[in-house]
Amino acid sequence: MPLEQLNLTYLTDEDRILLRIGFSTEDTDQTKKEIQIFFTRRLLQKLWPTMMEAIGSHMRLNRPGAAFASDELVNMEHQNALDKIKESGNFDQAYSDENRKALNGERPFLLETVKFHLKANAALWIQFFPTQGGTVDLRLETSLLHGFCKLLIDAEKASGWGLDLSLPKPEEMSVPAHLLN
């Protein structure tokens, strides 16, 4: 199913962040589908550093010549992707939940674990494992990946969890040991 929209919203009554993954349909009369996933504070706290590592590794994999400059490039790529998304008006567009049905029933999946899969010249593959079993796979091209990061940062700020999510500053990112001489 083709990805149409991503939405991350903090739900006060649940004290969780709700990820809604909306899919498009070719038939305008057909009900659109979505998958809903809950992020807990604990999971997001563990997920964020791993996700930042995965983004850096993905960049080094796709740009081997940029291995030592990946810290600055990640931040620059993030800003460029966000600027492109803003220019196209996608951040201003509200999530369309009209005529949309949740594939996972009435209750969102509760995340237990997340895995990242890296492959050269391919989108970053994020695999969500809910406590209910099964997996939800999401493949995000660079601009969508950085947009997803921005939405996570904004949702965490709205939650008041105090995790201070941000992209690592160049001085905080290290070159992996296998790239050192």
Side-chain angles (χ1 to χ4, degrees):
M1 286 183 280
L3 177 66
E4 182 178 43
Q5 284 184 301
L6 292 173
N7 177 265
L8 284 139
T9 308
Y10 175 68
L11 301 179
T12 308
D13 56 331
E14 295 280 350
D15 193 29
R16 293 180 176 155
I17 293 173
L18 176 65
L19 166 62
R20 297 171 73 185
I21 305 168
F23 302 101
S24 62
T25 60
E26 291 183 21
D27 183 2
T28 55
D29 293 334
Q30 191 177 6
T31 302
K32 293 180 179 181
K33 309 282 191 259
E34 75 175 8
I35 294 177
Q36 300 176 352
I37 300 172
F38 274 141
F39 283 83
T40 61
R41 181 186 189 282
R42 180 187 62 80
L43 184 94
L44 187 55
Q45 188 173 23
K46 288 181 175 181
L47 166 74
W48 191 257
T50 306
M51 189 156 96
M52 293 301 99
E53 250 181 68
I55 290 172
S57 296
H58 192 251
M59 179 176 279
R60 283 188 292 276
L61 183 64
N62 288 305
R63 297 184 196 172
F68 292 101
S70 65
D71 44 4
E72 291 92 2
L73 281 176
V74 168
N75 285 292
M76 192 171 72
E77 190 172 80
H78 178 74
Q79 195 55 54
N80 289 340
L82 293 183
D83 290 344
K84 193 182 290 186
I85 291 169
K86 286 176 187 174
E87 284 173 17
S88 66
N90 286 341
F91 276 136
D92 298 328
Q93 195 174 7
Y95 184 79
S96 171
D97 56 6
E98 189 177 304
N99 197 28
R100 203 175 285 279
K101 181 181 177 193
L103 291 172
N104 50 300
E106 291 182 27
R107 194 83 180 131
F109 287 136
L110 180 60
L111 275 184
E112 184 171 33
T113 212
V114 178
K115 290 186 180 176
F116 297 91
H117 302 277
L118 307 170
K119 188 175 178 185
N121 303 315
L124 183 67
W125 173 18
I126 304 173
Q127 203 169 29
F128 299 106
F129 292 87
T131 57
Q132 295 89 334
T135 63
V136 176
D137 293 1
L138 193 58
R139 286 178 172 83
L140 298 176
E141 295 296 336
T142 302
S143 62
L144 281 175
L145 179 62
H146 289 287
F148 179 69
C149 290
K150 167 86 170 102
L151 292 172
L152 265 176
I153 289 168
D154 292 348
E156 189 281 328
K157 281 181 185 169
S159 74
W161 289 344
L163 297 180
D164 260 351
L165 302 183
S166 63
L167 288 179
K169 293 171 182 58
E171 62 273 11
E172 295 172 353
M173 292 184 80
S174 60
V175 177
H178 70 278
L179 294 176
L180 297 175
N181 290 334

